[in-house]
């Protein structure tokens, strides 16, 4: 006999909001457990949730704890996700089945968070940066699962573009192939995470949450794919270009020397940026995530 499909556990707050048609914003947990240092990660997690509530939406931080996908976390569970001793697995969509089946605990990436959000009926998701096509992907086939999930999960992902270590033109091509609209929020340029512009254009621009909501609602009548709403890092928090380029060159050399690839690339690069920039990258990372959560909340409210 086939086993019963794993159940999603929603907090009462999230379940009630969805039942009443009120706005909900999904938040990932990998940035908390793997992207920010202990102490700061919990502070950011709580600030994100407060910010979403202040904007009129309900936050739903997502993680898998003891084999159970949880949509929305209690403060105790949030502390657990951020605790250094927990050593949570990093769960992409391919890892959800093994983690649930084996009763493991893990933090969800963009791909798995978007999938779980869609399964729970949440249509808006705020994150830092999207994964994409890696350089030399023609030889390595290294393409983030984030792109495949956006092709099939009808979720709006609000992100500050992708990191500059990726092949941005190829990433934009894959999004186009998969019928994922790419919107620039108050910008004509595709952002590059720490930098406001990658030098590549976005196909469409929106200047208000209401415009974004109108585009998203219209898209959903024609296609089942998601939407990427790109939001540049706040201007005052943008990383200096010379510093960024130096750190990027050093990071790429670090990957080459240590033969690092796959899902280890992003955390390795982030760690190098954090340790070699005297905290500049941490401040930038925090600023853009908070900005994206604010925008996602405003769009979710407009959609509702």
């Amino acid at each position: 006999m086939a086993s019963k499909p794993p159940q999603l556990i929603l907090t009462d707050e999230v379940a009630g909001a969805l039942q009443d048609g009120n706005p909900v914003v999904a938040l990932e947990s990998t940035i908390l457990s793997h992207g920010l240092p202990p102490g700061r990660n919990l502070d950011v997690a709580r600030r994100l949730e407060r910010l979403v509530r202040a904007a009129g939406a309900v936050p739903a931080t997502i993680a898998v704890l003891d084999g159970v996908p949880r949509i929305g976390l209690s403060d105790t569970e949030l502390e657990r996700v951020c605790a250094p001793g927990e050593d949570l697995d990093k769960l992409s969509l391919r890892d959800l089945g093994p983690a649930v089946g084996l009763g493991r605990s893990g933090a969800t990436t963009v791909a798995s968070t978007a999938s779980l959000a869609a399964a729970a009926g949440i249509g808006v998701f705020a994150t830092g940066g999207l994964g994409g096509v890696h350089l030399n992907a023609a030889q390595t086939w290294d393409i983030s699962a984030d792109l495949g999930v956006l092709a099939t999960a009808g979720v709006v992902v609000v992100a500050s573009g992708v990191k500059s270590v990726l092949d941005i033109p190829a990433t934009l091509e894959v999004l186009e192939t998969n019928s994922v609209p790419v919107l620039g929020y108050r910008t004509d340029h595709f952002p590059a995470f720490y930098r406001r512009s990658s030098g590549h254009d976005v196909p469409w621009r929106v200047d208000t949450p209401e415009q974004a909501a109108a585009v998203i609602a219209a898209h959903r009548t024609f296609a089942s794919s998601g939407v990427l709403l790109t939001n540049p890092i706040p201007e005052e928090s943008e990383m200096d270009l010379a510093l960024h380029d130096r750190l990027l060159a050093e990071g790429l050399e670090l990957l080459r020397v240590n033969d690092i690839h796959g899902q280890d690339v992003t955390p390795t690069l982030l760690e190098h940026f954090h340790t070699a920039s005297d905290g500049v990258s941490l401040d930038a990372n925090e600023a853009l995530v908070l900005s994206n959560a604010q925008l996602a909340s405003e769009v979710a409210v407009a959609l509702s």
Side-chain angles (χ1 to χ4, degrees):
M1 180 182 295
S3 60
K4 183 180 178 181
Q7 183 180 4
L8 305 181
I9 302 298
L10 282 65
T11 61
D12 291 341
E13 182 185 24
V14 172
L18 291 173
Q19 184 174 357
D20 295 339
N22 294 327
V24 179
V25 174
L27 301 167
E28 64 155 296
S29 47
T30 289
I31 188 174
L32 304 177
S33 65
H34 293 77
L36 294 169
R40 187 164 188 165
N41 56 358
L42 183 59
D43 175 66
V44 170
R46 288 171 172 162
R47 288 178 64 193
L48 283 168
E49 296 206 342
R50 288 197 302 268
L51 184 154
V52 172
R53 289 192 178 94
V58 170
T61 304
I62 294 176
V64 175
L65 298 178
D66 304 315
V68 179
R70 295 192 172 273
I71 315 299
L73 302 177
S74 68
D75 195 63
T76 299
E77 290 165 342
L78 209 55
E79 289 178 353
R80 179 179 173 186
V81 166
C82 295
E86 285 293 324
D87 194 27
L88 298 185
D89 295 323
K90 182 180 178 182
L91 306 178
S92 186
L93 179 56
R94 69 168 187 176
D95 307 304
L96 285 182
V100 171
L102 298 173
R104 298 284 290 269
S105 297
T108 52
T109 65
V110 170
S112 52
T113 303
S115 298
L116 289 171
I122 301 171
V124 180
F125 164 36
T127 186
L130 186 73
V133 179
H134 286 250
L135 297 171
N136 302 316
Q139 287 75 43
T140 64
W141 294 88
D142 195 351
I143 301 174
S144 171
D146 297 355
L147 303 183
V149 169
L150 259 179
T152 57
V155 175
V156 181
V157 178
V158 182
S160 296
V162 301
K163 295 179 182 66
S164 50
V165 67
L166 298 176
D167 187 332
I168 294 176
T171 299
L172 290 169
E173 287 291 343
V174 171
L175 289 167
E176 179 185 356
T177 299
N178 288 303
S179 302
V180 176
V182 178
L183 313 178
Y185 187 70
R186 297 178 180 172
T187 183
D188 297 309
H189 306 290
F190 190 78
F193 201 68
Y194 295 124
R195 298 288 301 169
R196 289 177 59 82
S197 173
S198 65
H200 300 279
D201 294 337
V202 287
W204 297 97
R205 173 177 174 144
V206 293
D207 288 295
T208 67
E210 291 74 23
Q211 282 186 342
V215 171
I216 292 159
H219 173 72
R220 287 173 173 171
T221 67
F222 302 113
S224 58
S225 53
V227 175
L228 176 60
L229 176 57
T230 62
N231 183 36
I233 183 173
E235 191 169 358
E236 65 274 13
S237 300
E238 183 178 26
M239 184 179 287
D240 174 75
L241 180 60
L243 173 62
H244 171 273
D245 289 351
R246 176 176 66 80
L247 294 173
L248 180 58
E250 292 171 354
L252 290 173
E253 179 64 11
L254 185 67
L255 297 178
R256 187 192 67 79
V257 169
N258 293 283
D259 192 27
I260 297 171
H261 54 273
Q263 67 177 14
D264 293 327
V265 167
T266 297
T268 300
L269 282 173
L270 280 177
E271 178 63 21
H272 175 69
F273 267 73
H274 294 343
T275 56
S277 68
D278 293 326
V280 171
S281 70
L282 278 172
D283 292 341
N285 202 349
E286 180 177 321
L288 65 86
V289 169
L290 290 167
S291 175
N292 293 343
Q294 177 70 41
L295 176 57
S297 302
E298 293 170 358
V299 171
V301 169
L303 279 168
S304 68

